Amino acid sequence: MPSVTVLATTAVPDHVRGALTRWMIEPMPGLYVGTLSARVRDELWSVVSDSIGAGAAVLVHPDSNEQGYALRTAGERRRIPVDFDGLSLVAFRPEEYTDMPRSDVGSSLDPSAEPSC
């Protein structure tokens, strides 16, 4: 059964953008929305993730879990999805925090501690 799918891209090659606009609308640059079957969605994601290059992409689609949707990512992003007891949460990459001076992070945070969600 087709369902609404959202795909956000950053700095992807033109041929990928062309492939996406055949199946989805682009209401603003880099944001694609469409009603796709699971098979078409998976094929498009395969094209995007295989040719992402220096870009990045995030796919959000319906799924049978507690949240009702799933996240997929490709490429280097500042934020990463983290599974927390079956819930998808979004965390910043830990290496961003270890390079910051303690005064910028805040006095209550330990820079050597693992980030928590």
Side-chain angles (χ1 to χ4, degrees), residues 56-82:
V58 175
L59 175 71
V60 181
H61 63 87
D63 199 7
S64 58
N65 60 24
E66 290 291 323
Q67 290 174 301
Y69 62 87
L71 290 171
R72 297 187 199 178
T73 62
E76 290 296 317
R77 297 199 61 88
R78 195 171 140 199
R79 294 175 174 95
I80 54 172
V82 177

PDB file of all heavy atoms in Angstrom, residues 56-82:
ATOM      1  N   ALA A  56      24.477  14.395   1.714  1.00  0.00           N
ATOM      2  CA  ALA A  56      23.825  13.664   2.798  1.00  0.00           C
ATOM      3  C   ALA A  56      22.340  13.575   2.510  1.00  0.00           C
ATOM      4  O   ALA A  56      21.791  14.401   1.782  1.00  0.00           O
ATOM      5  CB  ALA A  56      24.063  14.367   4.125  1.00  0.00           C
ATOM      6  N   ALA A  57      21.696  12.556   3.072  1.00  0.00           N
ATOM      7  CA  ALA A  57      20.259  12.377   2.871  1.00  0.00           C
ATOM      8  C   ALA A  57      19.626  11.724   4.085  1.00  0.00           C
ATOM      9  O   ALA A  57      20.276  10.942   4.784  1.00  0.00           O
ATOM     10  CB  ALA A  57      20.002  11.525   1.634  1.00  0.00           C
ATOM     11  N   VAL A  58      18.371  12.067   4.325  1.00  0.00           N
ATOM     12  CA  VAL A  58      17.576  11.467   5.393  1.00  0.00           C
ATOM     13  C   VAL A  58      16.235  11.077   4.791  1.00  0.00           C
ATOM     14  O   VAL A  58      15.588  11.882   4.123  1.00  0.00           O
ATOM     15  CB  VAL A  58      17.345  12.449   6.557  1.00  0.00           C
ATOM     16  CG1 VAL A  58      16.417  11.839   7.595  1.00  0.00           C
ATOM     17  CG2 VAL A  58      18.638  12.855   7.186  1.00  0.00           C
ATOM     18  N   LEU A  59      15.825   9.844   5.026  1.00  0.00           N
ATOM     19  CA  LEU A  59      14.547   9.327   4.543  1.00  0.00           C
ATOM     20  C   LEU A  59      13.666   9.027   5.747  1.00  0.00           C
ATOM     21  O   LEU A  59      14.103   8.375   6.696  1.00  0.00           O
ATOM     22  CB  LEU A  59      14.765   8.046   3.736  1.00  0.00           C
ATOM     23  CG  LEU A  59      13.520   7.319   3.258  1.00  0.00           C
ATOM     24  CD1 LEU A  59      12.827   8.108   2.156  1.00  0.00           C
ATOM     25  CD2 LEU A  59      13.871   5.931   2.768  1.00  0.00           C
ATOM     26  N   VAL A  60      12.421   9.525   5.716  1.00  0.00           N
ATOM     27  CA  VAL A  60      11.439   9.238   6.755  1.00  0.00           C
ATOM     28  C   VAL A  60      10.248   8.592   6.075  1.00  0.00           C
ATOM     29  O   VAL A  60       9.693   9.144   5.122  1.00  0.00           O
ATOM     30  CB  VAL A  60      10.993  10.519   7.495  1.00  0.00           C
ATOM     31  CG1 VAL A  60       9.982  10.191   8.579  1.00  0.00           C
ATOM     32  CG2 VAL A  60      12.180  11.261   8.060  1.00  0.00           C
ATOM     33  N   HIS A  61       9.891   7.395   6.543  1.00  0.00           N
ATOM     34  CA  HIS A  61       8.757   6.685   5.941  1.00  0.00           C
ATOM     35  C   HIS A  61       7.982   5.936   7.012  1.00  0.00           C
ATOM     36  O   HIS A  61       8.525   5.630   8.080  1.00  0.00           O
ATOM     37  CB  HIS A  61       9.250   5.719   4.850  1.00  0.00           C
ATOM     38  CG  HIS A  61      10.128   4.636   5.358  1.00  0.00           C
ATOM     39  ND1 HIS A  61       9.650   3.444   5.840  1.00  0.00           N
ATOM     40  CD2 HIS A  61      11.483   4.569   5.479  1.00  0.00           C
ATOM     41  CE1 HIS A  61      10.659   2.682   6.214  1.00  0.00           C
ATOM     42  NE2 HIS A  61      11.788   3.338   6.019  1.00  0.00           N
ATOM     43  N   PRO A  62       6.709   5.653   6.768  1.00  0.00           N
ATOM     44  CA  PRO A  62       5.899   4.928   7.749  1.00  0.00           C
ATOM     45  C   PRO A  62       6.475   3.538   8.029  1.00  0.00           C
ATOM     46  O   PRO A  62       7.047   2.900   7.156  1.00  0.00           O
ATOM     47  CB  PRO A  62       4.531   4.808   7.069  1.00  0.00           C
ATOM     48  CG  PRO A  62       4.509   5.894   6.065  1.00  0.00           C
ATOM     49  CD  PRO A  62       5.924   6.056   5.608  1.00  0.00           C
ATOM     50  N   ASP A  63       6.314   3.106   9.268  1.00  0.00           N
ATOM     51  CA  ASP A  63       6.793   1.782   9.673  1.00  0.00           C
ATOM     52  C   ASP A  63       5.909   1.290  10.819  1.00  0.00           C
ATOM     53  O   ASP A  63       5.268   2.096  11.504  1.00  0.00           O
ATOM     54  CB  ASP A  63       8.252   1.875  10.116  1.00  0.00           C
ATOM     55  CG  ASP A  63       8.959   0.534  10.114  1.00  0.00           C
ATOM     56  OD1 ASP A  63       8.369  -0.463   9.650  1.00  0.00           O
ATOM     57  OD2 ASP A  63      10.109   0.480  10.572  1.00  0.00           O
ATOM     58  N   SER A  64       5.889  -0.007  11.014  1.00  0.00           N
ATOM     59  CA  SER A  64       5.061  -0.573  12.083  1.00  0.00           C
ATOM     60  C   SER A  64       5.872  -0.677  13.367  1.00  0.00           C
ATOM     61  O   SER A  64       6.316  -1.747  13.770  1.00  0.00           O
ATOM     62  CB  SER A  64       4.527  -1.941  11.664  1.00  0.00           C
ATOM     63  OG  SER A  64       5.601  -2.802  11.368  1.00  0.00           O
ATOM     64  N   ASN A  65       6.099   0.474  14.007  1.00  0.00           N
ATOM     65  CA  ASN A  65       6.784   0.524  15.291  1.00  0.00           C
ATOM     66  C   ASN A  65       6.043   1.508  16.192  1.00  0.00           C
ATOM     67  O   ASN A  65       5.002   2.048  15.805  1.00  0.00           O
ATOM     68  CB  ASN A  65       8.269   0.887  15.127  1.00  0.00           C
ATOM     69  CG  ASN A  65       8.481   2.227  14.471  1.00  0.00           C
ATOM     70  OD1 ASN A  65       7.625   3.101  14.499  1.00  0.00           O
ATOM     71  ND2 ASN A  65       9.638   2.408  13.870  1.00  0.00           N
ATOM     72  N   GLU A  66       6.561   1.757  17.378  1.00  0.00           N
ATOM     73  CA  GLU A  66       5.886   2.643  18.333  1.00  0.00           C
ATOM     74  C   GLU A  66       5.691   4.059  17.794  1.00  0.00           C
ATOM     75  O   GLU A  66       4.675   4.688  18.043  1.00  0.00           O
ATOM     76  CB  GLU A  66       6.684   2.708  19.642  1.00  0.00           C
ATOM     77  CG  GLU A  66       6.653   1.432  20.439  1.00  0.00           C
ATOM     78  CD  GLU A  66       5.274   1.143  21.020  1.00  0.00           C
ATOM     79  OE1 GLU A  66       4.575   2.083  21.425  1.00  0.00           O
ATOM     80  OE2 GLU A  66       4.898  -0.040  21.047  1.00  0.00           O
ATOM     81  N   GLN A  67       6.660   4.555  17.050  1.00  0.00           N
ATOM     82  CA  GLN A  67       6.579   5.914  16.534  1.00  0.00           C
ATOM     83  C   GLN A  67       5.732   6.010  15.271  1.00  0.00           C
ATOM     84  O   GLN A  67       5.255   7.076  14.937  1.00  0.00           O
ATOM     85  CB  GLN A  67       7.983   6.462  16.255  1.00  0.00           C
ATOM     86  CG  GLN A  67       8.764   6.714  17.525  1.00  0.00           C
ATOM     87  CD  GLN A  67      10.192   7.114  17.245  1.00  0.00           C
ATOM     88  OE1 GLN A  67      10.930   6.360  16.619  1.00  0.00           O
ATOM     89  NE2 GLN A  67      10.579   8.274  17.704  1.00  0.00           N
ATOM     90  N   GLY A  68       5.623   4.913  14.556  1.00  0.00           N
ATOM     91  CA  GLY A  68       4.852   4.924  13.318  1.00  0.00           C
ATOM     92  C   GLY A  68       5.665   5.307  12.097  1.00  0.00           C
ATOM     93  O   GLY A  68       5.130   5.411  11.000  1.00  0.00           O
ATOM     94  N   TYR A  69       6.968   5.541  12.271  1.00  0.00           N
ATOM     95  CA  TYR A  69       7.834   5.880  11.148  1.00  0.00           C
ATOM     96  C   TYR A  69       9.245   5.365  11.403  1.00  0.00           C
ATOM     97  O   TYR A  69       9.600   5.032  12.521  1.00  0.00           O
ATOM     98  CB  TYR A  69       7.864   7.389  10.888  1.00  0.00           C
ATOM     99  CG  TYR A  69       8.411   8.210  12.032  1.00  0.00           C
ATOM    100  CD1 TYR A  69       9.771   8.450  12.149  1.00  0.00           C
ATOM    101  CD2 TYR A  69       7.562   8.743  12.992  1.00  0.00           C
ATOM    102  CE1 TYR A  69      10.276   9.195  13.200  1.00  0.00           C
ATOM    103  CE2 TYR A  69       8.052   9.493  14.037  1.00  0.00           C
ATOM    104  CZ  TYR A  69       9.406   9.718  14.140  1.00  0.00           C
ATOM    105  OH  TYR A  69       9.905  10.457  15.173  1.00  0.00           O
ATOM    106  N   ALA A  70      10.042   5.319  10.342  1.00  0.00           N
ATOM    107  CA  ALA A  70      11.438   4.905  10.434  1.00  0.00           C
ATOM    108  C   ALA A  70      12.312   5.962   9.784  1.00  0.00           C
ATOM    109  O   ALA A  70      11.879   6.676   8.877  1.00  0.00           O
ATOM    110  CB  ALA A  70      11.638   3.562   9.750  1.00  0.00           C
ATOM    111  N   LEU A  71      13.541   6.069  10.258  1.00  0.00           N
ATOM    112  CA  LEU A  71      14.541   6.986   9.705  1.00  0.00           C
ATOM    113  C   LEU A  71      15.654   6.187   9.053  1.00  0.00           C
ATOM    114  O   LEU A  71      16.103   5.183   9.606  1.00  0.00           O
ATOM    115  CB  LEU A  71      15.178   7.822  10.816  1.00  0.00           C
ATOM    116  CG  LEU A  71      14.352   8.879  11.506  1.00  0.00           C
ATOM    117  CD1 LEU A  71      15.123   9.419  12.697  1.00  0.00           C
ATOM    118  CD2 LEU A  71      14.013   9.989  10.558  1.00  0.00           C
ATOM    119  N   ARG A  72      16.106   6.660   7.899  1.00  0.00           N
ATOM    120  CA  ARG A  72      17.307   6.113   7.267  1.00  0.00           C
ATOM    121  C   ARG A  72      18.191   7.298   6.907  1.00  0.00           C
ATOM    122  O   ARG A  72      17.698   8.342   6.494  1.00  0.00           O
ATOM    123  CB  ARG A  72      16.967   5.356   5.987  1.00  0.00           C
ATOM    124  CG  ARG A  72      16.096   4.147   6.167  1.00  0.00           C
ATOM    125  CD  ARG A  72      15.981   3.420   4.853  1.00  0.00           C
ATOM    126  NE  ARG A  72      14.833   2.536   4.822  1.00  0.00           N
ATOM    127  CZ  ARG A  72      14.488   1.819   3.762  1.00  0.00           C
ATOM    128  NH1 ARG A  72      15.188   1.894   2.651  1.00  0.00           N
ATOM    129  NH2 ARG A  72      13.429   1.041   3.811  1.00  0.00           N
ATOM    130  N   THR A  73      19.485   7.138   7.055  1.00  0.00           N
ATOM    131  CA  THR A  73      20.408   8.216   6.707  1.00  0.00           C
ATOM    132  C   THR A  73      21.516   7.687   5.811  1.00  0.00           C
ATOM    133  O   THR A  73      21.842   6.505   5.827  1.00  0.00           O
ATOM    134  CB  THR A  73      21.047   8.840   7.963  1.00  0.00           C
ATOM    135  OG1 THR A  73      21.794   7.840   8.635  1.00  0.00           O
ATOM    136  CG2 THR A  73      20.005   9.419   8.896  1.00  0.00           C
ATOM    137  N   ALA A  74      22.087   8.591   5.028  1.00  0.00           N
ATOM    138  CA  ALA A  74      23.236   8.282   4.177  1.00  0.00           C
ATOM    139  C   ALA A  74      24.131   9.508   4.142  1.00  0.00           C
ATOM    140  O   ALA A  74      23.647  10.639   4.172  1.00  0.00           O
ATOM    141  CB  ALA A  74      22.783   7.917   2.770  1.00  0.00           C
ATOM    142  N   GLY A  75      25.428   9.290   4.083  1.00  0.00           N
ATOM    143  CA  GLY A  75      26.377  10.394   4.041  1.00  0.00           C
ATOM    144  C   GLY A  75      26.713  10.883   5.442  1.00  0.00           C
ATOM    145  O   GLY A  75      26.190  10.400   6.444  1.00  0.00           O
ATOM    146  N   GLU A  76      27.604  11.849   5.509  1.00  0.00           N
ATOM    147  CA  GLU A  76      28.032  12.426   6.781  1.00  0.00           C
ATOM    148  C   GLU A  76      27.079  13.539   7.181  1.00  0.00           C
ATOM    149  O   GLU A  76      26.879  14.487   6.443  1.00  0.00           O
ATOM    150  CB  GLU A  76      29.449  12.976   6.663  1.00  0.00           C
ATOM    151  CG  GLU A  76      30.498  11.902   6.532  1.00  0.00           C
ATOM    152  CD  GLU A  76      30.584  11.026   7.765  1.00  0.00           C
ATOM    153  OE1 GLU A  76      30.550  11.559   8.893  1.00  0.00           O
ATOM    154  OE2 GLU A  76      30.666   9.812   7.594  1.00  0.00           O
ATOM    155  N   ARG A  77      26.499  13.392   8.349  1.00  0.00           N
ATOM    156  CA  ARG A  77      25.587  14.388   8.876  1.00  0.00           C
ATOM    157  C   ARG A  77      26.026  14.791  10.267  1.00  0.00           C
ATOM    158  O   ARG A  77      26.706  14.047  10.967  1.00  0.00           O
ATOM    159  CB  ARG A  77      24.165  13.853   8.923  1.00  0.00           C
ATOM    160  CG  ARG A  77      23.627  13.521   7.549  1.00  0.00           C
ATOM    161  CD  ARG A  77      22.138  13.444   7.514  1.00  0.00           C
ATOM    162  NE  ARG A  77      21.473  14.659   7.875  1.00  0.00           N
ATOM    163  CZ  ARG A  77      21.164  15.633   7.031  1.00  0.00           C
ATOM    164  NH1 ARG A  77      21.506  15.561   5.775  1.00  0.00           N
ATOM    165  NH2 ARG A  77      20.511  16.689   7.442  1.00  0.00           N
ATOM    166  N   ARG A  78      25.610  15.961  10.662  1.00  0.00           N
ATOM    167  CA  ARG A  78      25.920  16.453  11.992  1.00  0.00           C
ATOM    168  C   ARG A  78      25.105  15.705  13.050  1.00  0.00           C
ATOM    169  O   ARG A  78      25.534  15.515  14.166  1.00  0.00           O
ATOM    170  CB  ARG A  78      25.577  17.938  12.037  1.00  0.00           C
ATOM    171  CG  ARG A  78      26.155  18.659  13.178  1.00  0.00           C
ATOM    172  CD  ARG A  78      25.948  20.132  12.993  1.00  0.00           C
ATOM    173  NE  ARG A  78      25.601  20.682  14.285  1.00  0.00           N
ATOM    174  CZ  ARG A  78      25.023  21.826  14.468  1.00  0.00           C
ATOM    175  NH1 ARG A  78      24.683  22.558  13.444  1.00  0.00           N
ATOM    176  NH2 ARG A  78      24.763  22.257  15.655  1.00  0.00           N
ATOM    177  N   ARG A  79      23.925  15.289  12.683  1.00  0.00           N
ATOM    178  CA  ARG A  79      23.055  14.547  13.591  1.00  0.00           C
ATOM    179  C   ARG A  79      22.952  13.097  13.128  1.00  0.00           C
ATOM    180  O   ARG A  79      22.924  12.834  11.937  1.00  0.00           O
ATOM    181  CB  ARG A  79      21.674  15.178  13.613  1.00  0.00           C
ATOM    182  CG  ARG A  79      21.673  16.567  14.199  1.00  0.00           C
ATOM    183  CD  ARG A  79      20.293  17.187  14.078  1.00  0.00           C
ATOM    184  NE  ARG A  79      20.227  18.447  14.746  1.00  0.00           N
ATOM    185  CZ  ARG A  79      20.416  19.621  14.149  1.00  0.00           C
ATOM    186  NH1 ARG A  79      20.676  19.657  12.859  1.00  0.00           N
ATOM    187  NH2 ARG A  79      20.334  20.732  14.822  1.00  0.00           N
ATOM    188  N   ILE A  80      22.857  12.190  14.089  1.00  0.00           N
ATOM    189  CA  ILE A  80      22.746  10.775  13.758  1.00  0.00           C
ATOM    190  C   ILE A  80      21.559  10.169  14.501  1.00  0.00           C
ATOM    191  O   ILE A  80      21.292  10.529  15.647  1.00  0.00           O
ATOM    192  CB  ILE A  80      24.037  10.003  14.113  1.00  0.00           C
ATOM    193  CG1 ILE A  80      24.419  10.215  15.575  1.00  0.00           C
ATOM    194  CG2 ILE A  80      25.175  10.405  13.203  1.00  0.00           C
ATOM    195  CD1 ILE A  80      25.544   9.357  16.054  1.00  0.00           C
ATOM    196  N   PRO A  81      20.830   9.262  13.852  1.00  0.00           N
ATOM    197  CA  PRO A  81      19.742   8.586  14.564  1.00  0.00           C
ATOM    198  C   PRO A  81      20.311   7.537  15.513  1.00  0.00           C
ATOM    199  O   PRO A  81      21.277   6.850  15.194  1.00  0.00           O
ATOM    200  CB  PRO A  81      18.924   7.939  13.446  1.00  0.00           C
ATOM    201  CG  PRO A  81      19.853   7.818  12.300  1.00  0.00           C
ATOM    202  CD  PRO A  81      20.875   8.900  12.447  1.00  0.00           C
ATOM    203  N   VAL A  82      19.706   7.452  16.684  1.00  0.00           N
ATOM    204  CA  VAL A  82      20.142   6.511  17.711  1.00  0.00           C
ATOM    205  C   VAL A  82      18.919   5.731  18.179  1.00  0.00           C
ATOM    206  O   VAL A  82      17.876   6.318  18.455  1.00  0.00           O
ATOM    207  CB  VAL A  82      20.775   7.267  18.908  1.00  0.00           C
ATOM    208  CG1 VAL A  82      21.160   6.315  20.009  1.00  0.00           C
ATOM    209  CG2 VAL A  82      21.959   8.086  18.463  1.00  0.00           C
TER     210      VAL A  82
END
